[in-house]
Structures are given as C-alpha cells and as structure tokens.
Amino acid sequence: QVQLVESGGGLVQAGGSLRLSCAASRSIYGNNIMAWYRQAPGKQRELVAGLSSGGSTNYLDSVKGRFTIYRDNAKNTVNLQMNAMKPENTDVYYCNIVAYSRSYWGQGTQVTVSS
C-alpha cells in the first residue's frame, strides 16, 4: 500500500509560479508511472503531466513549456513546477502513481490563479 500526500497548492497571480509536491509513504521501485491530474467541478479528471520510470514525459498541450514534472527518489516525491501560470490553470490537482499493478491517488490540492 502506498499513501500519497500533496502539498504546495494555493493562490498565485497570473504569470506567477507554484510547485506542487507529492510525497509517497514508501520508495517506489520497478516499472511505474507518476503523474499529476487536474479536475474542475463537474468535469472529468484530466492528465496534466506524466513521468515514467524510464524517464519519458508527456504533457497536456496547454502546459507544454510552462510546467515540468520531475521526481526526487531520495525524498520519494514527484513534483510539478508550474511557471507562467494562467487563470485557466485553476483547478484541484491530484497526484497519481501507478505501481505494483495498482493506482494510487492523493487527496488533491487546490490551485487558484487570479487574473
């Protein structure tokens, strides 16, 4: 079992930056995928950025060049650096790890970008 705890959400002005961090309760070994999703009220959860254990990344088109996903194996974290933020980036962001044939989710953290 893996527990995920997110941090780093909050309020930021348009053009500003935030870094989200997701701490896993244990080290993640083997093939895995770490990702950040977002979800607006009444809408489906949407992939923002993903990172495979092999180092491959993929991003939502609208965040390419502004957001960066990276992991810190020493701290068991997966992070999302968000730069040049826009009001449309406002959402609840969720951390997800697929490992050991299971999918694990964090509790979500609110990100609000003011214009």
Side-chain angles (χ1 to χ4, degrees):
Q1 187 73 6
V2 178
Q3 283 79 45
L4 303 178
V5 178
E6 297 135 341
S7 61
L11 175 65
V12 65
Q13 287 189 332
S17 298
L18 278 178
R19 184 179 66 191
L20 304 182
S21 185
C22 173
S25 58
R26 53 176 284 191
S27 297
I28 306 298
Y29 299 105
N31 293 326
N32 61 80
I33 297 175
M34 298 183 174
W36 286 93
Y37 287 74
R38 69 182 187 187
Q39 187 171 25
K43 294 189 176 181
Q44 285 193 328
R45 207 163 283 188
E46 178 180 42
L47 178 68
V48 176
L51 172 63
S52 75
S53 49
S56 299
T57 57
N58 65 303
Y59 294 92
L60 185 67
D61 282 347
S62 62
V63 308
K64 286 179 180 178
R66 298 187 298 118
F67 289 13
T68 302
I69 186 171
Y70 63 97
R71 62 198 296 168
D72 185 336
N73 290 329
K75 297 180 179 179
N76 297 333
T77 61
V78 55
N79 307 291
L80 184 67
Q81 179 66 42
M82 304 184 291
N83 298 328
M85 297 187 72
K86 303 176 180 180
E88 52 262 42
N89 298 137
T90 296
D91 263 323
V92 178
Y93 284 71
Y94 295 88
C95 172
N96 174 256
I97 294 179
V98 178
Y100 312 120
S101 302
R102 293 189 63 178
S103 180
Y104 302 94
W105 291 92
Q107 79 284 359
T109 185
Q110 176 69 46
V111 171
T112 302
V113 185
S114 63
S115 57

